[in-house]
Amino acid sequence: MAELATIARPYAEALFETSRGDAAATQGWLDALAAACATPQLLQFAADPKVQGGEVFRLLTSVLPQALPERGANFLRTVIDNGRLAVMPEVAAQFRDLANAQSGRSDAQIYSAFPIEGAELAQLKTVLEKRFGRQLETQVHIDPELIGGVRVVVGDEVLDTSVRARLQQMKVALTA
């Protein structure tokens, strides 16, 4: 894992430097590339020594939901030429971290036993932004094992108010 992060860092930093005024659009096509590059079949195809870089490029661009801008196409060619398709998801994650750091935002992964939408999500987001002291970009995931409550992950900080966590705390207290 640390190796992927080390390999991805220069790509993410270079891309971030070249897209200073257009980070949101860059993040959009970069996320699409990262999702495509995360498929094992594509990585296996790209690793085949009989397959040329141009073929990998054409395949990747054909499965993307929208055409890549010129900067994105050049970036993808560079990554393919260097044999680094496997690190694209990490490049996208590091790019997002750089963009968030610049704008004072953070990504928040909210895990809940039940769907959270609309006004309820807006209210929770407001409370979490106060708690973490920064603007948050939220993404909700359903995890029925939580039983109730939420588990929020922002960077390396975790706020776990789930019923499962409270039951585990009670178990530890009772067995100690």
Side-chain angles (χ1 to χ4, degrees):
M1 182 74 162
E3 185 176 316
L4 283 180
T6 303
I7 293 168
R9 186 172 299 111
Y11 290 99
E13 289 173 351
L15 188 58
F16 184 72
E17 286 299 317
T18 62
S19 64
R20 280 265 182 199
D22 199 18
T26 301
Q27 188 69 59
W29 60 257
L30 187 57
D31 285 342
L33 271 178
C37 290
T39 58
Q41 296 87 353
L42 176 77
L43 293 176
Q44 185 178 8
F45 175 75
D48 188 338
K50 297 176 190 172
V51 175
Q52 300 295 317
E55 293 175 272
V56 176
F57 179 82
R58 281 189 296 281
L59 175 66
L60 255 170
T61 55
S62 71
V63 299
L64 294 177
Q66 62 190 32
L68 285 175
E70 184 179 346
R71 184 179 33 179
N74 291 338
F75 179 74
L76 179 58
R77 284 186 186 98
T78 301
V79 170
I80 291 170
D81 291 345
N82 292 325
R84 300 295 192 196
L85 280 179
V87 301
M88 284 299 289
E90 183 63 25
V91 170
Q94 287 191 23
F95 184 90
R96 181 178 302 280
D97 290 343
L98 290 168
N100 284 344
Q102 181 189 32
S103 66
R105 295 176 176 259
S106 292
D107 289 331
Q109 306 300 319
I110 301 173
Y111 299 91
S112 172
F114 306 100
I116 303 173
E117 298 171 348
E120 188 178 23
L121 180 59
Q123 183 181 13
L124 177 60
K125 182 178 177 182
T126 302
V127 170
L128 291 173
E129 285 175 343
K130 266 188 206 174
R131 165 68 169 79
F132 288 101
R134 55 190 173 267
Q135 289 185 327
L136 299 176
E137 296 296 322
T138 58
Q139 188 173 18
V140 178
H141 308 278
I142 306 300
D143 183 0
E145 292 183 8
L146 294 179
I147 305 169
V150 294
R151 181 174 185 267
V152 181
V153 179
V154 178
D156 61 351
E157 298 177 74
V158 177
L159 174 64
D160 196 345
T161 62
S162 68
V163 173
R164 181 179 68 184
R166 290 182 184 174
L167 289 173
Q168 288 173 342
Q169 290 170 351
M170 288 172 52
K171 177 182 173 186
V172 169
L174 290 172
T175 57

